[in-house]
């Protein structure tokens, strides 16, 4: 691929991004980070493919197709497909024991939950870089598995035909400790966590955790919350990862607004992929797709989109970046778009480096703590894409430029950035930051 002509400083940054991706390349999958996340993650691989397409479209296509190796007979594509590695990951196969309930298409071990369905988006972006015949061949390989995944999302996770799919763990949202999820998850804290917390706050639990050796604990979720998430995994395991059984447990069930927004956009891409290879989307799925577009309108109050509790159908009135993703889905009525642009560029979301994951005036806001405030490059990318399709080109360009600037100022591919001072946090060799930087540089106007 010809390298776009870039100023020296950005060319060097691009080289850093390429070397991070090479360093995290495990053959036809890419791990999100060399130490923190040594396996394959669903939405990470999609964002990674969107960057890899600028280096090697076939390799990018392989990144996407490799996700099908983790597909369950039910159609689910898991959030993590475990790689053949002895590297430590805190929520590894032993925590899930999915081999007791199913097998995956490629025989790999996996988790028992999914992640935002970014596959169709990534496939279309990669397809744009291919010849017509290579793209058609790629789409033909991907389509049957991708179709089954979208069908599974509705049949398994929208049993009441709401048009919105429900998630069974905050890890499915990809925004692990976002306040919306933590609030609804905390009542499920194990008794021991509650007792220890009373005696000594989270400090007593810190010694027991193993996920925060690479990055300071205050950049991750609290120990109490982490042990609660492990407890939810135990509940899911006991319910054989089957939604009908899960419904009867204490597991929080959320119609997550960001996940459903991503699904709505993915449905459009899936429809385009099918049309290109002469396939017809089954009528049942077409109907679910239509219902989703209508149903997401039930999540908005006074111009703000929220997630909803599946059990009680009440809105979880916590304003976070998740509520901005309907822009990416293209489902925001035109007369509300400018209001949302105003919100995301306001000091509440601190537009200087992109969009804070939680507004600065929220009591839960912490500038360097994971999904509780930091700016994430993938969120900026999604929102900018939505703004562009709404014709808000200046806002989209500003957001993209700010994103490149914040990465450039840090000089490294951090997992997330403080919205207050742009300092990097989490892993500093994070694949999707590297990949999306490549995409931002290659597509800049
Ligand atoms: C759990 C891999 C993943 C991302 C998520 C991010 C984080 C995992 C963890 O890392 O979650 O899935 O162990 O904290 O929150 O979005 O996909 O990069």
């Amino acid at each position: 691929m010809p390298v776009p002509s870039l100023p020296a400083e950005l060319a060097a940054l691009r080289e850093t991004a390429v070397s991070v991706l090479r360093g995290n390349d495990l053959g036809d999958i890419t791990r999100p980070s060399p130490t923190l996340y040594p396996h394959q993650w669903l939405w990470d691989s999609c964002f990674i493919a969107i960057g890899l397409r600028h280096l090697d479209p076939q390799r990018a296509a392989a990144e996407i197709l490799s996700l099908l190796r983790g597909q369950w007979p039910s159609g689910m594509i898991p959030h993590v497909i475990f790689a053949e590695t002895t590297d430590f990951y805190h929520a590894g196969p032993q925590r899930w024991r999915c081999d007791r309930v199913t097998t995956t298409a490629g025989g790999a071990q996996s988790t028992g939950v999914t992640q935002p369905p970014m596959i169709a988006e990534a496939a279309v972006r990669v397809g744009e870089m291919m010849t017509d015949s290579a793209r058609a061949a790629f789409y033909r390989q991907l389509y049957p598995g991708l179709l089954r995944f979208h069908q599974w999302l509705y049949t398994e996770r929208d049993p009441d035909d709401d048009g919105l799919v429900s998630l069974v763990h905050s890890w499915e949202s990809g925004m692990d400790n976002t306040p919306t999820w933590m609030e609804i998850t905390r009542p499920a804290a194990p008794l021991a966590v509650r007792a220890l917390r009373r005696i000594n706050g989270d400090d007593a639990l810190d010694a027991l955790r193993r996920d925060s050796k690479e990055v300071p604990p205050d950049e991750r979720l609290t120990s109490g919350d982490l042990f609660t998430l492990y407890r939810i995994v135990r509940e899911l395991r006991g319910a054989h990862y089957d939604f009908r059984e899960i419904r009867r447990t204490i597991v929080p069930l959320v119609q997550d607004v960001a996940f459903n927004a991503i699904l709505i956009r993915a449905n459009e891409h899936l429809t385009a992929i099918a049309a290109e290879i002469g396939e017809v989307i089954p009528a049942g799925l077409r109907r679910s797709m239509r219902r989703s577009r209508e149903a997401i309108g039930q999540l908005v109050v006074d111009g703000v989109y929220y997630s909803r509790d599946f059990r009680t159908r009440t809105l979880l009135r916590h304003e976070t970046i998740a509520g901005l993703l309907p822009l990416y889905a293209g489902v925001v009525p035109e007369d509300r778009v400018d209001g949302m642009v105003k919100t995301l560029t306001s000091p509440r979301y601190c537009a200087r480096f992109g969009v804070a994951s939680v507004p600065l005036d929220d009591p839960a806001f912490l500038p360097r703590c994971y999904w509780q405030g930091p700016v994430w490059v993938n969120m900026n990318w999604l929102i900018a894409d939505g703004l562009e399709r709404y014709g808000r080109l200046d806002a989209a360009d500003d957001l993209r430029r700010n994103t490149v600037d914040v990465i450039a100022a840090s000089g490294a591919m951090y997992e997330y950035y403080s919205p207050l001072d742009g300092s990097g946090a989490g892993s500093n060799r994070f694949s999707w930051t590297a990949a999306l930087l490549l995409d931002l540089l290659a597509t800049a106007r």
Side-chain angles (χ1 to χ4, degrees), residues 82-99:
F82 293 111
E84 297 278 329
T85 172
T86 52
D87 291 351
F88 175 74
Y89 175 60
H90 67 100
Q94 292 311 317
R95 213 173 268 292
W96 299 88
R97 296 313 312 255
C98 291
D99 50 347

Side-chain angles (χ1 to χ4, degrees), residues 412-427:
M413 303 298 131
Y414 280 100
E415 193 176 352
Y416 38 95
Y417 294 87
S418 160
L420 299 184
D421 61 10
S423 58
S427 169

Side-chain angles (χ1 to χ4, degrees), residues 28 42 64 72 80 118 171 197 232 266 293 311 377 397:
D28 55 5
L42 194 169
I64 297 172
W72 286 23
V80 184
M118 283 294 303
W171 285 338
R197 233 185 203 157
I232 304 283
R293 292 190 68 88
R311 294 180 192 282
V377 170
D397 288 347

Side-chain angles (χ1 to χ4, degrees), residues 32-33 36-37 41-44 79-80 89-91 115 171 173-177 211 220-221 226 370-371 376 378 415 430 432:
S33 129
L36 260 189
Y37 312 116
W41 265 257
L42 194 169
W43 77 334
D44 294 66
H79 108 287
V80 184
Y89 175 60
H90 67 100
Q115 236 188 355
W171 285 338
S173 76
M175 303 185 196
D176 307 13
N177 67 336
D211 72 311
R220 312 276 300 171
L221 38 66
L226 184 65
Y370 227 26
W371 293 94
W376 288 76
N378 66 334
E415 193 176 352
F430 194 62
W432 86 39

Side-chain angles (χ1 to χ4, degrees), residues 347 350 352-353 356 360 365-368 373 375 417-423:
C350 207
R352 213 166 120 222
F353 306 108
L360 274 61
F365 173 79
L366 288 172
R368 289 171 59 83
V375 166
Y417 294 87
S418 160
L420 299 184
D421 61 10
S423 58

